[in-house]
Amino acid sequence: MTGAARLFFTLAIIYALIGMLLGLSMAISNDHTQHVTHAHIMLAGFVVTSIFAVFYHLFPALNASKIANVHFWLQTVSVIVMTGSLLLLYGGNPAIEPGAAIGSIGYILGVALFAYIALPAIWKA
């Protein structure tokens, strides 16, 4: 595995570990106030990032493209801002809510960029 596929899959594994550690922490403490953050890390971080990795692995020409690198960095920064903001928000800091919104908008833009990259590739004759 190389290029964007390797970057996305490496990050997906990191998200999985962070999300599982947060889930374990909630279970041990019996404090589930971070369940929204946990869900976002696991789904937006681990699952979706893994799907991006598999896509780029299956399409080597796109995997090596500059736009795949742009996609990686947009998704990465967005997930970190979104989930970091959620962690602080559900930790009792309501002033951070605009950060969650900014991260979410970036994430949606990243998925839109992925659609722009992926849909023509999978519908090619």
Side-chain angles (χ1 to χ4, degrees):
M1 193 173 273
T2 61
R6 178 172 35 195
L7 292 172
F8 273 117
F9 203 66
T10 300
L11 197 57
I13 292 167
I14 293 167
Y15 289 140
L17 290 170
I18 292 168
M20 289 177 190
L21 287 171
L22 179 57
L24 181 62
S25 171
M26 289 188 304
I28 290 169
S29 68
N30 201 27
D31 177 1
H32 296 89
T33 56
Q34 291 290 346
H35 70 279
V36 173
T37 308
H38 167 72
H40 278 77
I41 292 169
M42 294 306 294
L43 185 58
F46 173 57
V47 174
V48 176
T49 303
S50 295
I51 291 168
F52 294 152
V54 170
F55 170 82
Y56 285 115
H57 185 68
L58 293 174
F59 291 87
L62 292 172
N63 184 39
S65 69
K66 288 183 181 183
I67 197 165
N69 198 37
V70 170
H71 177 223
F72 172 78
W73 285 108
L74 177 58
Q75 284 301 144
T76 299
V77 169
S78 297
V79 171
I80 291 169
V81 169
M82 178 177 58
T83 58
S85 296
L86 288 173
L87 186 68
L88 295 170
L89 179 67
Y90 287 97
N93 184 356
I96 199 71
E97 193 164 4
I102 290 167
S104 297
I105 291 167
Y107 190 82
I108 291 167
L109 291 174
V111 173
L113 179 59
F114 180 65
Y116 174 80
I117 295 165
L119 291 175
I122 63 174
W123 283 97
K124 234 181 201 179

